[in-house]
Amino acid sequence: KGRHVWERVGGRMAHSITPERQGARDVFLKNQGWQDAEVEPLTPDASFRSYARLRRETGGCMLMDAPPAHENLKAYLDITAHLRDLGLRVADTLGHDLDAGFALIEDMGDATFTRLLNAGHDAEPLYLLATKVLKALHDHPRAVDIDLPPYDMTALLREAELFVDWFVPAFRGSAPTDAEKRGYMAAWQDALAGVSEARHALVLRDYHVDNLMITGGLEDISHCGLLDYQDALLGAPADDLVSLVEDARRDVSDELRSAVMVHYTKDMSAAQVKALELDMALLGAQRHAKVAGIFVRLSKRDGKPIYLGHIPRVLRLLSKALEATELSGVRESIEAMVPGYQQARF
């Protein structure tokens, strides 16, 4: 069997696998002819998926482990095929077993935007390339020709609820009352009434520098590899745009945000730009509330405390987004439940 490499991240092992899952993985690799490959597990992300790099003398690829009880491998494969058909850069699929929850995919390398930025690469060309990809996706006439659920009110409220279910009790030491929760959810429902009806964009949902790669030059969108889009829905184009420029894990300067917005909106009317900016405020606030809850949940439920270090940034972004007049009800609800939440540290 392949050699397993273990990395230590944040004081815990970065990779673990049950004997049953290991047995299923061995069967899959044997069936695919990769049983003699060297296996190097990669640092896990915030999902139940895990990845390993497979190497042998004749080449290499990536093993995706997507446990069927928690992950939808078919959705990944379907959306991958759709994005490829739209002309975007995604990893080729080399083999899969839907029932077992494994896939072999092309190894696109290590040049994620995050790694490049951490190594000192100029940020603006990377962010503008990411913006070009979004424009191409949003302008494509067949982008929404795929059978996916809508990013509707039910989905948006379910995510916003994570803030009161996880962040609020962690910050103040007690769960919100039923009245507090009802008021919070009602405020979101009022604020999101319009944008929740949008269905004209394929929303990848985690569009940020961790999930973008360079596989060639910086000029062509065909060299910008996409990752982590298996949870895509049909919704508003503002969602992925705000995900890029209001990143929970990395500060984005006002100048860089402005450059992205100028490029994205260059063919839009003043009214269209104003509507986009409002949608970004609404969906940005909803996203930051969701992420604050998710990062607490990742620590408490899933044993991944490393994400708590990003909480101050997320709360700054949330507080700024809540300045929008249309979000006054949400702002008042949050400030009543958790006064001083912006200073939360865990």
Side-chain angles (χ1 to χ4, degrees):
K1 296 182 177 65
R3 177 175 62 86
H4 286 262
V5 178
W6 299 81
E7 300 179 49
R8 185 171 289 278
V9 179
R12 66 183 181 82
M13 287 299 183
H15 175 79
S16 62
I17 186 170
T18 65
E20 294 78 12
R21 195 65 182 157
Q22 180 64 60
R25 175 185 289 190
D26 292 342
V27 170
F28 174 73
L29 291 177
K30 182 176 181 180
N31 290 341
Q32 297 292 325
W34 284 83
Q35 66 272 22
D36 296 325
E38 179 182 294
V39 181
E40 180 188 354
L42 303 184
T43 303
D45 59 15
S47 73
F48 288 96
R49 291 182 311 281
S50 62
Y51 295 87
R53 178 166 275 129
L54 305 183
R55 294 191 179 96
R56 59 187 182 188
E57 291 184 2
T58 56
C61 66
M62 299 290 290
L63 169 67
M64 177 192 291
D65 183 339
H70 303 288
E71 299 289 338
N72 188 344
L73 180 57
K74 185 178 185 303
Y76 168 81
L77 297 173
D78 289 345
I79 298 168
T80 295
H82 182 62
L83 291 172
R84 185 183 297 113
D85 187 51
L86 297 179
L88 300 181
R89 180 69 168 98
V90 289
D92 288 334
T93 303
L94 309 176
H96 66 270
D97 184 331
L98 288 178
D99 292 335
F102 294 108
L104 295 180
I105 62 176
E106 174 191 2
D107 186 347
M108 294 195 292
D110 292 315
T112 64
F113 282 22
T114 297
R115 289 192 177 193
L116 293 172
L117 291 167
N118 289 345
H121 198 289
D122 187 12
E124 186 166 319
L126 294 174
Y127 275 82
L128 291 184
L129 179 60
T131 309
K132 292 177 185 177
V133 172
L134 270 190
K135 282 288 289 181
L137 176 61
H138 295 163
D139 292 344
H140 201 292
R142 293 187 289 105
V144 296
D145 291 347
I146 181 172
D147 184 17
L148 289 176
Y151 212 166
D152 59 11
M153 183 66 78
T154 299
L156 290 166
L157 291 181
R158 183 170 59 246
E159 293 177 344
E161 192 173 15
L162 294 168
F163 184 83
V164 286
D165 287 347
W166 292 93
F167 176 84
V168 170
F171 177 64
R172 77 180 198 183
S174 62
T177 66
D178 289 343
E180 286 175 325
K181 188 168 183 177
R182 282 196 303 270
Y184 170 85
M185 298 302 291
W188 274 119
Q189 187 155 6
D190 289 343
L192 299 172
V195 73
S196 66
E197 298 296 322
R199 304 287 184 271
H200 51 286
L202 175 59
V203 182
L204 304 184
R205 297 183 73 191
D206 269 323
Y207 194 80
H208 51 74
V209 294
D210 284 355
N211 292 329
L212 297 166
M213 301 188 69
I214 292 297
T215 63
L218 288 173
E219 298 78 22
D220 196 325
I221 64 171
S222 66
H223 295 149
C224 182
L226 304 178
L227 305 172
D228 200 12
Y229 44 73
Q230 61 285 327
D231 296 323
L233 298 172
L234 301 181
D239 199 286
D240 282 337
L241 190 58
V242 80
S243 177
L244 178 66
V245 298
E246 297 185 16
D247 195 331
R249 298 170 178 82
R250 174 178 291 272
D251 293 329
V252 178
S253 69
D254 291 341
E255 295 77 14
L256 191 53
R257 179 192 175 106
S258 178
V260 167
M261 294 301 296
V262 166
H263 187 84
Y264 186 88
T265 62
K266 63 182 178 181
D267 298 320
M268 297 172 64
S269 68
Q272 289 172 322
V273 173
K274 184 177 181 180
L276 175 66
E277 289 174 343
L278 174 57
D279 285 352
M280 289 179 68
L282 296 171
L283 293 173
Q286 186 269 353
R287 179 178 184 82
H288 304 319
K290 169 186 72 174
V291 171
I294 288 174
F295 282 177
V296 172
R297 185 179 69 182
L298 282 168
S299 176
K300 289 186 170 293
R301 189 192 71 181
D302 302 333
K304 298 179 180 181
I306 191 171
Y307 292 95
L308 294 179
H310 300 301
I311 289 280
R313 178 185 300 106
V314 174
L315 297 178
R316 287 196 304 271
L317 292 168
L318 173 61
S319 180
K320 184 173 179 59
L322 289 176
E323 293 174 0
T325 302
E326 292 80 0
L327 286 161
S328 60
V330 177
R331 181 177 66 249
E332 292 166 4
S333 172
I334 290 177
E335 290 177 348
M337 276 192 297
V338 279
Y341 71 92
Q342 300 93 330
Q343 282 72 52
R345 301 291 185 273
F346 296 96

